[in-house]
Amino acid sequence: MDEKLRLLAVLNSMQKILHDDLAQAVSSSPARAVFLALLTEDLARTAGRAQIVAAGKLEETEAHTLREEPLARLQEVHRDLAAFIGGSTSLPDDQRNAPGTKMLFKDATELVKDQLQLSFAQAKHRIIVHDLLLPHAGFNGSVVPPRFGQLASVFNDGSADPHQVALAARRMLALQPGIDAQQDPVATAAAIEQQLAESLADRNTAGTAQLFKRFCAELDACALERSEAEMEAHVGLRYKGKQSRGFIWELCTDLRGHEMLQKLSDQLSNPRSAFGRDATSPAGDSNGQQPGEYAGGQPELPGLSTGPLSPAAHLIPPWAVDPDMPEDQRPRAGFTDVGLPGSAEDQMPGLQLQPGETPAAARERLKARSLLQFLFDSARFVADGDQEAAPDLPMRPNVELIVTISWDSLIGKLNDPGITSHNHLVSAGYARRLACSANVIPAVLGTESQPLDLGRTQRFFNRAQRRAMMLRDRGCINPGCSMAGHRCEANHIKPWYLGGETNLANGALLCPACHASFHAGHFKIVVVNSIPYVLQNKARDPEQRLRRNWIFHPRAKAIG
């Protein structure tokens, strides 16, 4: 055993020297640099698995019962590995504290924490993961198989990062209460574990995280409703104080408000968007803007015109203003005449107190909510290009909250969660409530007034088709790309100039970078049952399977 430990110490030293030499040698060969990185990742995965194995052996051998003398000797040998490799030093004999006496360490976790200089959480993590992913000795000496066999297979064969597999096992353990509440817990656990094992081997960490997000929502159907109810009491816009950088306001909103602000932010920051341009700019640009569609342009809020002075706005007397002040900058009569404030009851009739809330706190909460609503109404007026001519009619909702959700859930037969265009989960109940006040786009695509298949009659995809692509693809379809749908381009799978039709079956969302890669021939798009799949080149996908982007479709299966 000691000779094999000496060999492991030699290999560790040789690995460091060899890796440094190779790093210098491959500086002129990118192909060998890539292969060096692949081999190094293999070594790191081997070492990551070995860390878990070694921690488990500390627990199985009850290493925490060792006496102080052998532990101190082990530290001396480890500090001078050259002498140990040469055979001039040897390992001490096992000397244990007698049962019932005071141990140096309470258990194996404390030993790992102290001897390996880890945090308690890191040490505990290694011990727990060992029992979840590796066979170990039971209390009676029998061999106990790993709790998660499919994850253990991925953990042992090196096809995934062992640290990510370990985290997945811990999170799988955390899902157990929700799994136990299902009608068939064993089948549910097996199905979830299988999908996780496939995701860890084939996808990156972001795709596996999205898969966990879906599992959590499906196992606890009430979790989203509880979260949305907790948000409700904190919604509002509040003044937090003055700092050197300015006056600080805190805005807290629910999902609908977040989607509105996100949409406004996306449009304002997107260089390819027409939002914010002059309303007189011509339609029909390179992005497929069609005649009759809103071309941008920010209309003015009532009473906040930036144009010439209104003739009805009387200037204050000349003696009340600096004569050197330009006329268009002088204050007007009535500008600060906001009327006399009434009582709190007059301003906020029907005040309802939250549990443990004082009337003053309730008034502040409603004041913050009213201010937030004014902000949203103003934002909607500015962003809406289709206002009604009659100012006393309610504005049509401007937020197009695209929620991908089954029809059965939307009408109340099921309670499966939906997902918004910004990849936020939304409960079925909340989606049903939003359908009354916001433009919730259902999963039934296309109407007589908005055809989805235009054939060869039109070069660019229209608004309805782009909306349908957003609903179907949610983002760039290239697996692993995290570019959201609002920053993607509607791409013809078969180019229009080669006879490709402008319809949904021939379209897919691609970000600008992936769009260029597609036309460069770096990957192919294959439509299966009206769903676009990507076939990547052999360098990126040696298995050559058709895949959807797991970032936006974490449960989609590969084909082939």
Side-chain angles (χ1 to χ4, degrees):
M1 186 188 306
D2 288 3
E3 292 304 317
K4 291 183 178 179
L5 288 172
R6 286 191 174 91
L7 178 59
L8 184 60
V10 171
L11 292 176
N12 185 47
S13 301
M14 291 179 61
Q15 175 186 330
K16 183 177 184 304
I17 296 172
L18 181 61
H19 191 277
D20 290 344
D21 289 345
L22 286 172
Q24 293 291 333
V26 303
S27 58
S28 60
S29 174
R32 284 159 181 79
V34 172
F35 196 63
L36 174 62
L38 292 173
L39 291 176
T40 303
E41 187 64 22
D42 291 341
L43 292 172
R45 292 182 176 184
T46 301
R49 177 184 177 277
Q51 288 177 328
I52 304 299
V53 173
K57 294 304 175 184
L58 291 176
E59 184 177 43
E60 289 182 6
T61 61
E62 297 184 339
H64 65 283
T65 63
L66 280 175
R67 298 175 61 181
E68 181 179 356
E69 294 80 5
L71 285 172
R73 179 60 180 162
L74 288 172
Q75 292 289 349
E76 293 177 3
V77 174
H78 186 257
R79 283 194 293 268
D80 189 7
L81 284 179
F84 174 66
I85 294 172
S88 58
T89 60
S90 59
L91 299 178
D93 296 331
D94 294 322
Q95 301 177 34
R96 299 173 182 270
N97 287 297
T101 60
K102 176 65 176 177
M103 307 290 180
L104 288 176
F105 305 101
K106 181 178 66 174
D107 52 21
T109 301
E110 283 200 0
L111 174 65
V112 174
K113 172 180 175 292
D114 181 83
Q115 297 295 297
L116 304 185
Q117 298 179 348
L118 302 176
S119 68
F120 179 83
Q122 290 173 317
K124 189 67 175 177
H125 172 73
R126 293 188 183 183
I127 298 296
I128 293 175
V129 169
H130 177 270
D131 294 344
L132 296 178
L133 298 177
L134 292 168
H136 53 280
F139 69 94
N140 58 356
S142 61
V143 177
V144 179
R147 178 165 181 174
F148 302 124
Q150 298 183 72
L151 293 180
S153 178
V154 177
F155 180 77
N156 288 313
D157 63 17
S159 59
D161 184 350
H163 297 294
Q164 295 300 322
V165 181
L167 291 175
R170 294 290 302 274
R171 298 185 69 178
M172 182 78 182
L173 190 64
L175 292 177
Q176 196 60 48
I179 294 175
D180 292 339
Q182 306 304 307
Q183 292 183 351
D184 190 348
V186 176
T188 301
I192 291 177
E193 186 181 352
Q194 179 184 0
Q195 294 184 58
L196 284 178
E198 294 175 354
S199 177
L200 288 164
D202 297 339
R203 306 174 180 179
N204 55 21
T205 56
T208 305
Q210 290 295 329
L211 194 59
F212 263 114
K213 187 177 179 181
R214 295 291 299 181
F215 288 150
C216 292
E218 291 172 359
L219 291 174
D220 187 358
C222 299
L224 288 172
E225 283 88 344
R226 289 199 302 269
S227 176
E228 291 159 357
E230 292 172 359
M231 291 181 188
E232 183 66 22
H234 302 284
V235 168
L237 183 62
R238 297 170 176 85
Y239 175 59
K240 304 300 291 185
K242 181 183 179 183
Q243 297 182 7
S244 58
R245 55 195 176 102
F247 295 89
I248 308 302
W249 291 78
E250 179 186 76
L251 187 150
C252 180
T253 182
D254 56 8
L255 178 65
R256 179 173 56 181
H258 170 75
E259 289 288 323
M260 171 184 279
L261 293 176
Q262 187 71 58
K263 178 182 178 182
L264 292 174
S265 175
D266 293 341
Q267 290 178 332
L268 289 170
S269 61
N270 187 356
R272 304 180 68 86
S273 171
F275 182 76
R277 298 179 187 169
D278 190 346
T280 60
S281 60
D285 60 10
S286 60
N287 293 321
Q289 187 77 33
Q290 300 304 319
E293 290 190 3
Y294 178 47
Q298 301 185 18
E300 300 166 349
L301 288 175
L304 299 181
S305 173
T306 57
L309 297 179
S310 170
H314 302 288
L315 298 177
I316 63 173
W319 53 264
V321 69
D322 185 350
D324 295 329
M325 178 180 293
E327 184 173 306
D328 60 348
Q329 298 181 16
R330 298 184 183 185
R332 290 163 183 75
F335 182 76
T336 58
D337 183 13
V338 295
L340 297 176
S343 65
E345 291 74 13
D346 294 336
Q347 296 179 34
M348 299 179 180
L351 185 65
Q352 296 182 354
L353 302 182
Q354 298 287 340
E357 188 179 40
T358 64
R363 286 192 291 271
E364 285 297 319
R365 174 171 55 83
L366 294 183
K367 177 182 176 183
R369 182 183 294 271
S370 300
L371 188 56
L372 178 66
Q373 189 59 51
F374 177 81
L375 172 64
F376 284 153
D377 289 344
S378 301
R380 248 173 41 186
F381 190 95
V382 171
D384 197 344
D386 302 313
Q387 295 94 340
E388 296 287 348
D392 40 341
L393 291 178
M395 290 185 297
R396 291 194 303 113
N398 177 259
V399 182
E400 294 180 344
L401 180 56
I402 301 178
V403 177
T404 303
I405 191 169
S406 68
W407 179 253
D408 287 338
S409 292
L410 192 62
I411 64 176
K413 290 185 178 180
L414 296 178
N415 202 33
D416 295 335
I419 187 168
T420 72
S421 56
H422 292 99
N423 224 30
H424 292 283
L425 291 177
V426 54
S427 66
Y430 192 76
R432 288 191 288 268
R433 292 193 298 272
L434 284 179
C436 300
S437 58
N439 288 350
V440 177
I441 306 301
V444 181
L445 304 178
T447 64
E448 293 183 359
S449 60
Q450 292 182 316
L452 298 181
D453 295 321
L454 300 182
R456 296 283 298 167
T457 62
Q458 187 167 309
R459 167 68 178 87
F460 297 109
F461 292 101
N462 68 5
R463 177 179 294 179
Q465 291 172 312
R466 296 195 301 271
R467 180 183 294 155
M469 288 184 202
M470 171 74 80
L471 177 66
R472 181 194 64 192
D473 301 336
R474 302 180 189 168
C476 180
I477 66 169
N478 196 13
C481 181
S482 59
M483 189 67 72
H486 67 275
R487 291 189 177 275
C488 293
E489 300 167 343
N491 168 62
H492 285 78
I493 299 174
K494 180 180 180 181
W496 187 81
Y497 58 84
L498 295 179
E501 296 183 345
T502 304
N503 57 38
L504 192 59
N506 191 46
L509 294 184
L510 288 173
C511 71
C514 293
H515 196 170
S517 296
F518 172 69
H519 286 294
H522 294 165
F523 63 89
K524 297 179 180 179
I525 301 176
V526 179
V527 179
V528 180
N529 296 328
S530 301
I531 300 296
Y533 286 78
V534 170
L535 178 63
Q536 295 178 325
N537 55 53
K538 290 186 178 180
R540 300 195 65 181
D541 185 9
E543 297 181 355
Q544 290 292 277
R545 304 176 70 186
L546 298 177
R547 304 180 188 273
R548 297 195 78 185
N549 192 344
W550 53 75
I551 301 295
F552 305 105
H553 305 278
R555 303 192 67 173
K557 297 284 188 180
I559 300 177

